[in-house]
Amino acid sequence: MTRVRRLTVLGVAAALAGSLVAVPAAAGTAAPARPADRDGAATAAPEKTPVAVGHGGAVSSVDPDASAAGIEVLRKGGNAVDAAVATAAALGVTEPYSAGIGGGGYFVSYDARTRTVRTLDGRETAPRSAGKDLFLENGKPLPFDDAVTSGLSVGTPGTAATWDTALRKWGSRSLRQVLRPAQRLAAGGFTVDETFRRQTADNEARFRDFPATARLYLPGGKLPVVGSTLKNPDLARTYRELAHKGAGALYNGALARDIVRTVRKPPVRAGSPRTVRPGDLTAGDLRAYRVLSQAPTRTGYRGLDVYGMAPSSSGGTSVAEALNILERSELSRLSEQQFLHRYIEAARIAFADRGRWVGDPAQEDVPTKGLTSQRFADARGCLIHDDRALTSPLAPGDPRHPGRCADPGRGAPTTYEGENTTHLTVADKWGNVVAYTLTIEQTGGSGIAVPHRGFLLNNELTDFSFAPAGASVHDPNLPGPGKRPRSSMSPTIVLRHGRPVVALGSPGGATIITTVLQTLVNHLDRGMPLVDAIAAPRASQRNAARTELEPGLWNSPVRRQLEALGHAFKENPEIGAATGVQRLPDGRWLAAAEKVRRGGGSARVVHRS
């Protein structure tokens, strides 16, 4: 056992319209020139590697251009918060179907000076006119796809306000300064990869129904070619406007009016057979939007402190509850079958409780303290038996009055949640850390681009339950005026004695929770190096009849061993796309990303060593 592995087992080290241009790259020619930096020097094409170790700070994201933007800010003296915003802004260019200023997210930050973790809830909000019947038509829920591609699904965006709030509270650079790399990238373009082309192809039919979207992402009326360069001068101009006027320009002014107009009268192409329902977002909804500063969730785990995102996200409470259940097991000593059995069951239980109790705490009574308590976890964990699997939908427990292995009663199924989003993790030379997950929900969001502004609008409101999930179980996630839909985003920071050990997160809708949970226990309990813990094949149980397995587990003998206990499975080709950073014993940072998923991620450090 190497020193790194031994320390890991013990708790790791202490220590938009008409503006996107596609330029094909000719076979056998040099790659397109990179845009120049502010001093006029051409920048080298960023590398794409799943792991990097060194000094001066680290950035890990799904995209090399985005990671390079964060590293640029770190190199110029910015801190982790500055670099996180720069990375996120660049992802709005290169990962526009996953995130951007048309969406929202959750920002978890560790301050090395005070050794504290703080969070921002930048989740989108429903219009103030929204009621429980938001997605009902003639008394029945709308088909999900119809709701997604509509103005009804668009919540008030929170991303720009999150950037502004994070920089004002904890940053050392202005919004103007940190937007420069992304602004250059939008103007100069990025190289299309296979993932971007595939995601465009998956959305081609609905993109064609919105002229502004088609001109952005179907240049010349065709799918972008792998290896071509895509430019988005409209988004460059929008970023320039935010840089000069501040993030408030998105909430009050011409840009705000363009957003409202697009939502209330979606610009559908003439002759389209698609019924695109208008939304009711108003200028008043945009003006009233506020990012929420709130305490993180916290639970102890094997001598570590695990911090996450509190409701309106269910990520922090669900990861904490599952970890508390698993802490009673010596996971490092179990066989793979025993480990996966207990992990799957802990996730099943956490999702049963999530569905009953977690919603927007401004409008629902969410017992966060109870959900993250060891007492409640013990009362629920005793449902797990080594010789048989539980069945779903499992009924929820009551964290207000925990009863050990109480009569389970009736359960409700977990509602669907879109599986796209993006996550970035950043650390700086001072020891500050950021885990930031942001999204526009589905791949491609609502499919509706704001004309001449260069970005897509979210479909985040489809994260609400369209109707109660179960007749006999209260659903805290029904729509409401100004309400934030429940999320599964799980940006997580782990400390030991007040100092960072590891930070991570993932996209993937409701699979985010299981991805973060499995990666944590792979690393902390099973002794896997962080990059291998991220790469390991995943299982995702979300209080459903069948657990989803990636091919590495689906094709493994362990599947048959688990089926003998009563588990049922279905194959999922890809679950999540995590990124993380780890503080090594000698003070260096290790950045880790996916080796294969989404074409592989991009881990970078300021100075390699």
Side-chain angles (χ1 to χ4, degrees):
M1 180 181 292
T2 66
R3 184 183 181 211
V4 172
R5 176 179 168 85
R6 180 167 60 251
L7 287 168
T8 300
V9 173
L10 294 174
V12 197
L16 289 244
S19 56
L20 194 64
V21 181
V23 183
T29 64
R34 306 297 303 171
D37 67 17
R38 63 178 298 187
D39 300 316
T43 59
E47 62 182 352
K48 192 169 190 178
T49 179
V51 64
V53 178
H55 298 277
V59 179
S60 185
S61 79
V62 297
D63 180 77
D65 287 299
S67 294
I71 289 293
E72 177 183 331
V73 169
L74 292 177
R75 282 181 175 150
K76 293 180 178 180
N79 67 20
V81 172
D82 305 322
V85 174
T87 305
L91 286 168
V93 181
T94 62
E95 291 279 307
Y97 308 151
S98 300
I101 55 174
Y106 298 96
F107 195 100
V108 178
S109 174
Y110 167 79
D111 179 68
R113 184 179 61 83
T114 61
R115 299 189 185 183
T116 57
V117 177
R118 55 276 173 102
T119 77
L120 297 175
D121 180 332
R123 183 68 157 160
E124 301 88 338
T125 57
R128 290 174 294 180
S129 62
K132 293 183 178 180
D133 61 350
L134 178 65
F135 291 113
L136 300 182
E137 204 165 84
N138 300 320
K140 296 182 179 180
L142 286 172
F144 188 80
D145 289 346
D146 290 356
V148 166
T149 309
S150 75
L152 287 174
S153 70
V154 181
T156 305
T159 292
T162 301
W163 296 351
D164 180 68
T165 304
L167 291 171
R168 284 189 294 102
K169 282 177 169 286
W170 311 313
S172 67
R173 298 293 186 268
S174 67
L175 183 62
R176 179 183 299 190
Q177 290 172 305
V178 301
L179 285 180
R180 281 174 183 152
Q183 191 176 317
R184 274 200 320 269
L185 185 60
F190 68 95
T191 302
V192 173
D193 63 12
E194 182 56 46
T195 298
F196 187 89
R197 178 181 169 85
R198 183 177 66 252
Q199 290 177 339
T200 308
D202 291 343
N203 282 282
E204 183 177 4
R206 65 183 188 135
F207 281 5
R208 289 193 183 281
D209 283 335
F210 300 98
T213 308
R215 285 193 290 267
L216 275 172
Y217 302 119
L218 298 169
K222 299 178 181 179
L223 289 171
V225 177
V226 173
S228 65
T229 299
L230 285 182
K231 300 180 181 181
N232 192 339
D234 279 351
L235 184 56
R237 285 190 292 272
T238 298
Y239 278 168
R240 192 176 303 119
E241 182 174 346
L242 294 178
H244 286 274
K245 296 181 181 179
L250 191 140
Y251 299 93
N252 191 16
L255 177 53
R257 290 192 293 273
D258 287 348
I259 291 171
V260 170
R261 185 183 306 114
T262 303
V263 173
R264 298 181 70 86
K265 191 175 181 181
V268 187
R269 70 173 172 85
S272 169
R274 188 183 301 272
T275 299
V276 181
R277 294 163 177 80
D280 198 33
L281 189 73
T282 67
D285 291 317
L286 285 173
R287 286 194 301 270
Y289 183 81
R290 297 293 183 272
V291 171
L292 303 179
S293 299
Q294 60 191 52
T297 59
R298 179 202 162 277
T299 192
Y301 187 71
R302 309 199 193 283
L304 305 172
D305 294 302
V306 182
Y307 292 90
M309 195 67 219
S312 57
S313 180
S314 64
T317 56
S318 300
V319 170
E321 181 181 353
L323 286 175
N324 287 338
I325 291 170
L326 291 171
E327 189 163 20
R328 300 305 192 198
S329 302
E330 293 189 59
L331 300 182
S332 63
R333 296 175 178 268
L334 299 181
S335 68
E336 186 179 17
Q337 180 255 21
Q338 292 169 325
F339 162 70
L340 286 170
H341 171 66
R342 293 192 192 180
Y343 153 72
I344 287 168
E345 298 296 61
R348 189 195 310 271
I349 292 167
F351 266 88
D353 298 328
R354 163 194 185 267
R356 165 60 183 87
W357 297 105
V358 182
D360 183 347
Q363 300 189 30
E364 300 287 338
D365 183 12
V366 184
T368 300
K369 186 175 180 180
L371 287 167
T372 58
S373 71
Q374 190 64 53
R375 181 186 176 205
F376 181 57
D378 291 344
R380 298 291 280 157
C382 64
L383 295 170
I384 300 174
H385 298 279
D386 286 341
D387 60 348
R388 64 184 183 277
L390 295 166
T391 57
S392 291
L394 186 71
D398 188 344
R400 303 166 304 176
H401 308 288
R404 187 169 179 79
C405 293
D407 180 7
R410 299 182 63 184
T414 298
T415 54
Y416 177 74
E417 188 176 328
E419 293 191 0
N420 216 326
T421 293
T422 194
H423 178 83
L424 61 99
T425 321
V426 180
D428 65 29
K429 63 184 178 182
W430 298 284
N432 303 302
V433 179
V434 171
Y436 182 23
T437 314
L438 59 159
T439 184
I440 59 171
E441 180 51 8
Q442 293 282 108
T443 305
S446 64
I448 305 171
V450 181
H452 309 292
R453 293 297 188 172
F455 64 92
L456 290 158
L457 292 170
N458 69 83
N459 66 290
E460 214 64 63
L461 301 188
T462 57
D463 271 357
F464 284 123
S465 303
F466 288 18
S472 62
V473 180
H474 173 72
D475 190 331
N477 191 42
L478 294 170
K483 193 173 183 180
R484 296 174 189 235
R486 180 175 61 212
S487 171
S488 296
M489 288 183 270
S490 307
T492 301
I493 295 177
V494 180
L495 307 182
R496 187 183 183 96
H497 305 312
R499 297 185 184 276
V501 171
V502 67
L504 74 157
S506 176
T511 70
I512 294 172
I513 291 169
T514 56
T515 295
V516 169
L517 174 63
Q518 189 173 0
T519 303
L520 281 173
V521 293
N522 279 345
H523 183 51
L524 301 176
D525 290 288
R526 306 291 281 179
M528 294 183 187
L530 184 57
V531 69
D532 294 334
I534 288 171
R538 294 182 182 134
S540 181
Q541 168 53 239
R542 307 187 297 280
N543 199 24
R546 293 189 291 173
T547 299
E548 295 178 11
L549 296 182
E550 286 188 324
L553 290 174
W554 178 263
N555 298 319
S556 167
V558 76
R559 174 167 67 96
R560 291 185 290 276
Q561 295 168 10
L562 290 167
E563 286 172 339
L565 298 180
H567 290 279
F569 299 105
K570 66 177 179 179
E571 189 173 13
N572 184 333
E574 188 174 280
I575 298 173
T579 74
V581 298
Q582 177 188 0
R583 189 69 154 179
L584 298 178
D586 59 9
R588 292 181 301 164
W589 288 108
L590 181 149
E594 295 287 353
K595 294 180 178 180
V596 176
R597 297 181 186 94
R598 288 202 187 184
S602 176
R604 300 195 65 179
V605 292
V606 174
H607 302 294
R608 280 186 175 272
S609 61

